[in-house]
Amino acid sequence: MAEHHHPDSHGHGHGHTHDHGPASPASARLRVLLAAVLVPFALAVLSGLYLLWPAPLPAHAPTGTGFDQITVTGTVTATRTVPCGQGSTATSTTGDSGTCTEITFQLTSGKNSGRSVTQTLTPDQTAVYSAGEKIVVDYSPTAPTALQYTVEDADRSVPVALLAGVFALAVVLVGRLRGLAALAALAISFLVLTFFVLPAILGGEPPLAVAVVGGGLIMLLALYLCHGLSARTSVAVLGTMASLALIGGLGQLFIGLTRLTGNTSDETAFVHSLFPGIQLPGLLLAGVIIGSLGVLNDVTVTQASSVWELHAANPALGARALYRAAIRIGRDHIASTVNTLVMAYAGAALPLMLLFSLSHRGVWQVATSEIVAEEVVRTLVGSIGLIASVPLTTALAAFVASRDVADLPEVPARARTSHRRRR
């Protein structure tokens, strides 16, 4: 008999569901609302890109130290053990006692390509080289002829390129078209960092503004390229944007309160000596923002997708029910992601942690020293942003998904009505 009263049943369902209107107008209104927020943000990012675009960096003469040194490539042709102090060109002043390694290498690039050079490596140099190995060689044109070329490092170009190829193949085999999109987004991120973020900071632009503009551009391009133009992607973008704003605000506040200078490494000091206009505390904050961006994208996309999948499985769920179901997934995500972030920072700072474990300072004194406090502030600010992104994105996704039917598979009207009656 229910079959004969389908129209009445359907009409009764309308009476019990205030948001069960035509699909297209509701979805269109949502998309206009999302666009009203996202389009100004995208225009602001493009404007910032135009205003902050770096001028060509001024040329400077190589200092002959650190990363600023000219390098060429070479191949080790022979090695032998010799008493320290008796080799051809010892590179350390450890005295004449002990056993050193004398290596001979042939230059394979540069103006003296083909030249054979011999150098003595002292015991304090931990690298071990063998005949046939490719190496990177420092070139100091102003040094005496016998000391112009010194071994810097192993040449890892081939194995690193091989590993990158294996990674790209794995992404494409498993992800297929979505994997290709992910690789394209990764390439875009590197291009933005290489041609905008780094040169702009070196050119003296405010690092915070550069990080916000660069991070916003990476976020927009990567998310929409990988996940398509949809309401759920827009929700993930909004959640990421809000969380990055929180991270930026907290980072600026606590970098100031803890009086961090950002000058805690030889690399930072060296770059600052070459480009004195760089604002080191701002550079630290820019690193926090950019470092948090990738993990934030993962969290917000996962939460938005979870809400839409729950809505697709049960279209009768309202915004509150969707939020309650999805936030349970988010809590698990928070626990694993925060631990991952902390372990990533701890792993990067492991040598530093080993050094401090040998000191006679108290744990709290070590934790509040600048070199450690910098990592603590970076980790905690990023973690707070990650934690906040879950309820923010979930709430926004639940609100939008409960009113967006354009992305759902066709559901018979009577089935939707039946679901809502049971609720």
Side-chain angles (χ1 to χ4, degrees):
M1 294 297 292
E3 294 290 332
H4 299 294
H5 296 282
H6 173 69
D8 293 337
S9 174
H10 185 61
H12 185 66
H14 277 286
H16 283 277
T17 58
H18 302 289
D19 59 347
H20 184 55
S24 297
S27 296
R29 285 195 297 270
L30 283 172
R31 280 156 176 74
V32 168
L33 180 62
L34 291 172
V37 178
L38 289 172
V39 170
F41 173 72
L43 292 176
V45 168
L46 292 177
S47 300
L49 193 68
Y50 173 77
L51 294 173
L52 298 174
W53 190 262
L57 294 176
H60 65 277
T63 62
T65 59
F67 292 99
D68 198 39
Q69 204 159 12
I70 301 172
T71 60
V72 296
T73 57
T75 302
V76 178
T77 56
T79 64
R80 69 188 184 101
T81 300
V82 297
C84 291
Q86 296 184 17
S88 302
T89 56
T91 60
S92 180
T93 57
T94 57
D96 295 338
S97 60
T99 301
C100 296
T101 302
E102 185 182 79
I103 68 170
T104 301
F105 55 90
Q106 186 178 40
L107 301 176
T108 55
S109 67
K111 67 176 184 178
N112 292 318
S113 179
R115 174 179 165 184
S116 185
V117 180
T118 299
Q119 176 186 347
T120 301
L121 304 180
T122 53
D124 60 331
Q125 296 173 283
T126 56
V128 177
Y129 301 99
S130 56
E133 185 173 355
K134 306 293 183 182
I135 56 174
V136 176
V137 181
D138 286 336
Y139 173 51
S140 302
T142 59
T145 303
L147 300 175
Q148 285 183 340
Y149 293 96
T150 56
V151 176
E152 165 65 23
D153 204 354
D155 186 352
R156 303 180 180 88
S157 303
V158 173
V160 170
L162 177 62
L163 180 59
V166 172
F167 164 75
L169 181 62
V171 170
V172 173
L173 287 178
V174 176
R176 299 186 181 181
L177 290 178
R178 189 64 62 85
L180 281 175
L183 290 177
L186 182 62
I188 289 172
S189 299
F190 276 109
L191 289 175
V192 172
L193 290 173
T194 302
F195 292 101
F196 171 68
V197 174
L198 299 180
I201 292 176
L202 289 175
E205 299 293 348
L208 176 58
V210 172
V212 169
V213 172
L217 183 62
I218 290 172
M219 176 183 66
L220 290 172
L221 294 177
L223 286 180
Y224 282 116
L225 180 61
C226 291
H227 305 286
L229 288 168
S230 66
R232 74 175 72 185
T233 306
S234 297
V235 166
V237 169
L238 289 174
T240 305
M241 187 170 65
S243 302
L244 280 179
L246 177 62
I247 289 173
L250 286 176
Q252 191 162 31
L253 173 64
F254 282 95
I255 287 174
L257 289 177
T258 53
R259 302 179 62 82
L260 297 178
T261 64
N263 190 12
T264 56
S265 67
D266 293 338
E267 292 80 10
T268 305
F270 180 68
V271 171
H272 191 247
S273 68
L274 295 177
F275 299 93
I278 293 179
Q279 305 168 25
L280 294 184
L283 183 62
L284 174 59
L285 180 57
V288 173
I289 292 174
I290 293 176
S292 303
L293 182 60
V295 186
L296 270 179
N297 285 346
D298 173 51
V299 172
T300 56
V301 167
T302 300
Q303 284 306 113
S305 296
S306 299
V307 170
W308 255 269
E309 291 301 321
L310 289 168
H311 186 42
N314 187 358
L317 291 176
R320 183 175 297 179
L322 281 173
Y323 178 83
R324 285 199 301 262
I327 200 66
R328 288 193 289 269
I329 300 172
R331 292 189 185 107
D332 290 337
H333 207 177
I334 287 174
S336 60
T337 304
V338 169
N339 188 61
T340 299
L341 186 65
V342 171
M343 289 300 100
Y345 282 127
L350 191 58
L352 179 64
M353 294 170 65
L354 289 173
L355 182 63
F356 275 109
S357 69
L358 299 175
S359 71
H360 296 287
R361 300 182 183 182
V363 174
W364 186 249
Q365 187 179 4
V366 169
T368 54
S369 62
E370 181 171 8
I371 194 169
V372 177
E374 182 177 297
E375 297 301 325
V376 171
V377 170
R378 190 198 311 269
T379 303
L380 296 184
V381 166
S383 297
I384 291 171
L386 286 175
I387 293 169
S389 71
V390 172
L392 283 173
T393 307
T394 305
L396 183 60
F399 173 80
V400 174
S402 63
R403 290 160 175 79
D404 179 29
V405 295
D407 287 343
L408 292 177
E410 288 297 324
V411 180
R414 191 178 58 186
R416 293 195 295 264
T417 302
S418 175
H419 275 302
R420 292 186 183 275
R421 281 182 172 180
R422 287 197 297 272
R423 189 183 65 177

